[in-house]
Amino acid sequence: MNLSALLTSAGINIGLCTLYLSLYSILRKQPSFLYVYFGRQLTQRNNNFLDAFNLERFVPSPSWIVKAWGLTEEEILSVGGLDAVVFLRIFVFSLRIFSIAAFVCVFGVLPINYFGQEMQHTRISAESLEVFTIANVKEGSRWLWVHCAALYVITCSACSLLYFEYKSISKMKLDYIIGSPPKPSHFTVLVRGIPKSIGEPLGDTIRNFFLHYHGSSYLGHQIICRRGKLQNFFSNAKMVYKKIFCFEVTALDNTCRSGLCRCGLCGGVSNSFRFYPDNFYERRTDLHCIDLSSHQKECSSAFVFFKTRYAAIVASKVLQTSNPMLWVTDLAPEPNDVYWRNLWIPYRQLWVRRIATLLASIVFMFLFLIPVTFVQGLTQLEQMRHMLSFLKGIPNKAFVIQFVSGYLPSVILQLFLYTVPPTMMLFSTLEGPVSRSVRKKSALCKVLYFTIWNIFFVNVLSGSLITQLSLITRPKDIPAHLAKDVPRQATFFMTYVLALGWTSLSSEVLQSYSVLYHLTRKYIFRCKDDPSLVPSFPYHTEVPKVLLFGLLGFTCSILAPLILPFLLVYFFLGYLVYRNQILNVYSTSYDSGGRMWPIVHNTTVFSLVLTQIIALGVFGIKASQMASAFTIPLLIITLLFSEYCKKHFYPIFRDLSAQDFIDMDRDDEQCGRMPKIHEQLFTAYAWLAPPPPPPITGALELCYVDGEPDSPVQVTI
Amino acid sequence: MNLSALLTSAGINIGLCTLYLSLYSILRKQPSFLYVYFGRQLTQRNNNFLDAFNLERFVPSPSWIVKAWGLTEEEILSVGGLDAVVFLRIFVFSLRIFSIAAFVCVFGVLPINYFGQEMQHTRISAESLEVFTIANVKEGSRWLWVHCAALYVITCSACSLLYFEYKSISKMKLDYIIGSPPKPSHFTVLVRGIPKSIGEPLGDTIRNFFLHYHGSSYLGHQIICRRGKLQNFFSNAKMVYKKIFCFEVTALDNTCRSGLCRCGLCGGVSNSFRFYPDNFYERRTDLHCIDLSSHQKECSSAFVFFKTRYAAIVASKVLQTSNPMLWVTDLAPEPNDVYWRNLWIPYRQLWVRRIATLLASIVFMFLFLIPVTFVQGLTQLEQMRHMLSFLKGIPNKAFVIQFVSGYLPSVILQLFLYTVPPTMMLFSTLEGPVSRSVRKKSALCKVLYFTIWNIFFVNVLSGSLITQLSLITRPKDIPAHLAKDVPRQATFFMTYVLALGWTSLSSEVLQSYSVLYHLTRKYIFRCKDDPSLVPSFPYHTEVPKVLLFGLLGFTCSILAPLILPFLLVYFFLGYLVYRNQILNVYSTSYDSGGRMWPIVHNTTVFSLVLTQIIALGVFGIKASQMASAFTIPLLIITLLFSEYCKKHFYPIFRDLSAQDFIDMDRDDEQCGRMPKIHEQLFTAYAWLAPPPPPPITGALELCYVDGEPDSPVQVTI
């Protein structure tokens, strides 16, 4: 591939992006797609947008870019929570570090690569891209110290930027905790592994235990119940009824009709789905005689409420009894964040589940090499035909061959890649986390490892299953392999950034799947817009993507600096696009409190270390003793820096500090807010419904202990 | 080596052991060696043993064995603490598991090994030892399932025995904590990283912080100070004076004269070291005008006392402030256990120290290969002469060659091995632990890794530096290598158990170094017996030794079962010897509360897994698909078992439970013991002197807070 081909490819992609973004700027102004492009705003404000027809709606405009650019960090914090801010900080950090890297590498390293060998340079646009990589520098060159110096500049800037980011995000997290209104989760502890006493109700066991050992701070508790079969049957029946009812209401509902969309193609008002307008809730008098609550199974878990935040944190930190599998305490997740389906999982199962899903993820990661190998085989169709006889039936026409070898592989690969985030999310669900944010974080890690392994390493180590497996067993050879292969694959990574990076941003902003789904739902199934369908931000797919581009940037920076300008465009565009998406599209029903930053930090440090190891390999191949010798201290400094950050900042993301909580408690007590907070606690977890909403059964018994209400309210999942 | 040679070697070693033990049974009855053989008892009881001459003193007797055998576990607990009990439990466990293994392997595996190939068996005593190992079983043998079954029996028995041991030791630990008299460490928290406020004394900062955030439970605190240079000078002067004074007193002291030992050889009453009998303490009036306390440097650490155990544990568990490097809290070690010299180390240095010592230990472990390679070279003296010209000067006489190649290597290696525990202890000290038990535990781990690597792996992988380093880079080949080499090295390991195992026990009981040191001290330097010189149990050297023999037993069990009877003798003898040593010799000034059991457990699981990996390699070499296939589930089960134990028992060794502490607090409150405990707290850490004792300076200010004494007593180190 030569430079002009790359620039052509870049041009095509710029054109495509412009087209996509223009399309977006038109579609977003159509009232039919309000729920696709303004889902978050609609669920929050219930605004009625003007439905009048005007020409302006069909003219592309950059107004959304201006809006997205103008957002302040405080606005993003209030709109998307701390997670959104942290996510955007990845872009800010990447823009900063890759600006420095681009400056250093384009003006320092690139000329040295280009003039690295005594050769006749042709016209620059016809030059092969190899000429711009370190592969063009001759062995034993005196100029390799420039690469080493560039590596120093990049590493030192990255470390200092990472340090200030970590520091500022830690501060932001603390301010967020201190500044936010009282949260029920701060007063609540999730207790698991409650032992069952014979002849004593579970509620009494819990009350007795906490009154005895935490009497001065115990406020009440709430048992978690699992629905029995009969209950499941009834709730399913209710759900089916509700769906049918919803169809029927939609069929009669004409408010969503717009001037443009009510064309014949989408169907008019349809009466084909008319049902008898009965009311389940009114007719169920005969069901009342069945005592549903007797069919509930009490799980050995409960939410226990404390009078102060400090008491809750103490109860969650201290080992309760000398049997570590009983009375296991943890700070509860926020009510919106609770993943109700996993609350019934017995605590003693968790470690087995964790190991099993870890193994399953690893197996999945390696099994994925099979489609990759198959797809790589398709590109060499002739070879495949020799090997596999059933392929001989494929007609030998030019367009078939082009289709099979040129287009099909990437389609198949992309289809397989689409299965990864849902599979990892499934594994993370089976792992048994009790909160949605932890589930997403766990899926994020899995997808991240998968991406780095299958996109970076598999491509660099050039493909086939056997090559890689044999490499794992010879770790010593890995740096040399990487050093040889990364510059060679740099061209591929550049096109990867252009094609997949830029395009993924355009399709993210266009939300093509969401548009299709929305259209199908609205005009074929004739459902009303449902605010509960507004998605939450898919951090588990987006963060790994962004971090992968960071990894590509670091590893290619001194080897093939041409990638850096394209990356800068990606990060800048991404910064705008995701600000827009956070503001308009995704709902923020739960927040992990920026807990993804340590992952981002560690991945970036990993990228730096990998870059240094590859550089070490390259300097070794190029026989530059001095550069190799200078890289080793850099490696050690980077690892020490990582350890320093782990000691200084990580505990803030793991634990909450006594000082802050005590201060907050005292504030609330002095202002007299405490009684109201306590009152709200009992309803915070009790009346919250998991999607689909659970029927709340069981009588609301209230008894008083020390003048405080102690409510054994039961929540059913 | 053939069987008769092995039995001869065993016979010689049995003879040597009997000789040593008889010698011990005589020496122990000599009053001169009372402090060597009954150090612990003397420091505790101050008994005056009868000094009369009688013939019985010179007749060997097995009475000590009877006494050691008759000890109950309760007696050991009261004498040697929980650590001693846990240490002896290693022997009990080893005896049990290796009895089972010996039964299964000697009657099941050994015949199959012996008749594994169709060959003419000679007289059994002249048979090579190779015939008894798995190397003799022919490839593809149908009988390898016996080995696999034996592996199953051994693994399952080991796991169940480990489970019950872990369970019973956990229970014992809990009973020990609950049953023991109130300990100051349970009420005390060591606070490090206290921020210095300008214009405010450190004591006020601490008091203000804890009164503000833990006001209801804070009792008082005690600042730790480091001595200034002037103070160091004075205390050194005092020490020198004390030593001289001690010499003089000893020279005048005739009480230690015994009828036998006052011979001409040891010297009579010597007046050659007479000094002017002045008293430092009376003459130092002129020093009083110097205010020593002004030269102390306040460390940013303090002991903080709480009113209840529960409050202390809460304060130690919860992150105090949002800066994780400030106000770092940990439960304090017992007063006797505090390692005073490390208390001054700033908390922010610790992580660097930990990484540095880890690296230093690894480097040391690998550097040790150099003397090993050198020593292995000495055994091939002729080759060495060709390579190194300076060796040509060695005369070519037979006895010189025999000496250099036969005797010198083991002496050099042994000398190098003696440097390992002190070096590792030095590394552990530099790491910065604040308690002596943690320091010893850390040294134990380091020596353990060192021993397993340098004795097991280096010997198995047959020596030279390069072979091993290249193996590390090819982890896939390790099982096959081990499978080939372990049976080959089984003979060496058998002689190792005979020579080093049995002999080490004899020399342990005889305490030859201690005897020599004692004699030198007493009769040449004429010092009095000093109770502070009674050593504490060297767990860091003994535990790795015992665990290494366990590892040898497991790995050789199905490969070369002949080792098992010798190991059983070792463990039985060790059981007796160490019971005797714990009862009589070693002092118990501090106790880690059985915290070494998790290490023992993990090492045993590691040994099991290693055995299975080696078996997998062997079955692979012997081309037994079935046996290989059946070993893999065993491996998985063992790892799951390890994880199970980690979840169910390990937290008990790491944390103390709220339930137990609250119950203990209530008991003490109801019995009215609390005020007395609080009173004792203030002196527990204040007046305790590190060896050598520090001068306690600084006025004893007492102020009262909420009716409770709050003493900013300063302790100087």
mmCIF file of all heavy atoms in Angstrom, chain B residues 603-614:
data_model
loop_
_atom_site.group_PDB
_atom_site.id
_atom_site.type_symbol
_atom_site.label_atom_id
_atom_site.label_comp_id
_atom_site.label_asym_id
_atom_site.label_seq_id
_atom_site.Cartn_x
_atom_site.Cartn_y
_atom_site.Cartn_z
ATOM 1 N N THR B 603 1.313 -24.503 50.433
ATOM 2 C CA THR B 603 2.473 -25.250 49.936
ATOM 3 C C THR B 603 2.103 -26.702 49.677
ATOM 4 O O THR B 603 2.534 -27.300 48.692
ATOM 5 C CB THR B 603 3.626 -25.168 50.946
ATOM 6 O OG1 THR B 603 3.806 -23.820 51.313
ATOM 7 C CG2 THR B 603 4.905 -25.693 50.374
ATOM 8 N N THR B 604 1.288 -27.271 50.581
ATOM 9 C CA THR B 604 0.896 -28.669 50.387
ATOM 10 C C THR B 604 0.049 -28.817 49.128
ATOM 11 O O THR B 604 0.241 -29.758 48.351
ATOM 12 C CB THR B 604 0.130 -29.167 51.628
ATOM 13 O OG1 THR B 604 0.854 -28.795 52.788
ATOM 14 C CG2 THR B 604 -0.035 -30.660 51.596
ATOM 15 N N VAL B 605 -0.875 -27.874 48.926
ATOM 16 C CA VAL B 605 -1.685 -27.931 47.710
ATOM 17 C C VAL B 605 -0.775 -27.793 46.481
ATOM 18 O O VAL B 605 -0.930 -28.518 45.494
ATOM 19 C CB VAL B 605 -2.765 -26.830 47.720
ATOM 20 C CG1 VAL B 605 -3.448 -26.738 46.363
ATOM 21 C CG2 VAL B 605 -3.799 -27.118 48.788
ATOM 22 N N PHE B 606 0.218 -26.890 46.582
ATOM 23 C CA PHE B 606 1.171 -26.734 45.483
ATOM 24 C C PHE B 606 1.892 -28.049 45.212
ATOM 25 O O PHE B 606 2.061 -28.460 44.054
ATOM 26 C CB PHE B 606 2.174 -25.621 45.823
ATOM 27 C CG PHE B 606 3.349 -25.553 44.896
ATOM 28 C CD1 PHE B 606 3.217 -24.984 43.642
ATOM 29 C CD2 PHE B 606 4.581 -26.071 45.270
ATOM 30 C CE1 PHE B 606 4.299 -24.935 42.780
ATOM 31 C CE2 PHE B 606 5.661 -26.026 44.406
ATOM 32 C CZ PHE B 606 5.516 -25.450 43.159
ATOM 33 N N SER B 607 2.304 -28.728 46.305
ATOM 34 C CA SER B 607 2.996 -30.007 46.142
ATOM 35 C C SER B 607 2.093 -31.007 45.427
ATOM 36 O O SER B 607 2.543 -31.737 44.540
ATOM 37 C CB SER B 607 3.391 -30.581 47.497
ATOM 38 O OG SER B 607 4.095 -29.654 48.240
ATOM 39 N N LEU B 608 0.823 -31.047 45.833
ATOM 40 C CA LEU B 608 -0.118 -31.980 45.204
ATOM 41 C C LEU B 608 -0.254 -31.679 43.717
ATOM 42 O O LEU B 608 -0.207 -32.585 42.878
ATOM 43 C CB LEU B 608 -1.491 -31.883 45.883
ATOM 44 C CG LEU B 608 -1.630 -32.572 47.235
ATOM 45 C CD1 LEU B 608 -2.967 -32.237 47.858
ATOM 46 C CD2 LEU B 608 -1.514 -34.079 47.053
ATOM 47 N N VAL B 609 -0.419 -30.392 43.401
ATOM 48 C CA VAL B 609 -0.606 -30.004 42.002
ATOM 49 C C VAL B 609 0.645 -30.346 41.196
ATOM 50 O O VAL B 609 0.559 -30.887 40.085
ATOM 51 C CB VAL B 609 -0.938 -28.494 41.906
ATOM 52 C CG1 VAL B 609 -0.865 -28.016 40.471
ATOM 53 C CG2 VAL B 609 -2.319 -28.235 42.467
ATOM 54 N N LEU B 610 1.812 -30.085 41.808
ATOM 55 C CA LEU B 610 3.069 -30.397 41.120
ATOM 56 C C LEU B 610 3.167 -31.895 40.872
ATOM 57 O O LEU B 610 3.554 -32.344 39.778
ATOM 58 C CB LEU B 610 4.245 -29.911 41.972
ATOM 59 C CG LEU B 610 5.609 -29.992 41.316
ATOM 60 C CD1 LEU B 610 5.695 -29.004 40.159
ATOM 61 C CD2 LEU B 610 6.707 -29.678 42.316
ATOM 62 N N THR B 611 2.782 -32.689 41.893
ATOM 63 C CA THR B 611 2.786 -34.147 41.733
ATOM 64 C C THR B 611 1.915 -34.560 40.558
ATOM 65 O O THR B 611 2.298 -35.405 39.744
ATOM 66 C CB THR B 611 2.234 -34.797 43.024
ATOM 67 O OG1 THR B 611 2.936 -34.262 44.128
ATOM 68 C CG2 THR B 611 2.375 -36.293 42.987
ATOM 69 N N GLN B 612 0.730 -33.932 40.475
ATOM 70 C CA GLN B 612 -0.189 -34.295 39.395
ATOM 71 C C GLN B 612 0.365 -33.878 38.038
ATOM 72 O O GLN B 612 0.226 -34.618 37.057
ATOM 73 C CB GLN B 612 -1.543 -33.645 39.655
ATOM 74 C CG GLN B 612 -2.270 -34.290 40.820
ATOM 75 C CD GLN B 612 -3.267 -33.369 41.466
ATOM 76 O OE1 GLN B 612 -3.508 -32.266 40.982
ATOM 77 N NE2 GLN B 612 -3.844 -33.802 42.565
ATOM 78 N N ILE B 613 1.008 -32.708 37.991
ATOM 79 C CA ILE B 613 1.573 -32.267 36.708
ATOM 80 C C ILE B 613 2.685 -33.222 36.277
ATOM 81 O O ILE B 613 2.772 -33.623 35.111
ATOM 82 C CB ILE B 613 2.110 -30.821 36.833
ATOM 83 C CG1 ILE B 613 0.931 -29.856 36.940
ATOM 84 C CG2 ILE B 613 2.967 -30.444 35.633
ATOM 85 C CD1 ILE B 613 1.323 -28.427 37.215
ATOM 86 N N ILE B 614 3.524 -33.619 37.269
ATOM 87 C CA ILE B 614 4.602 -34.557 36.937
ATOM 88 C C ILE B 614 4.005 -35.889 36.479
ATOM 89 O O ILE B 614 4.450 -36.483 35.488
ATOM 90 C CB ILE B 614 5.537 -34.755 38.152
ATOM 91 C CG1 ILE B 614 6.280 -33.456 38.455
ATOM 92 C CG2 ILE B 614 6.540 -35.874 37.885
ATOM 93 C CD1 ILE B 614 7.081 -33.494 39.722
#
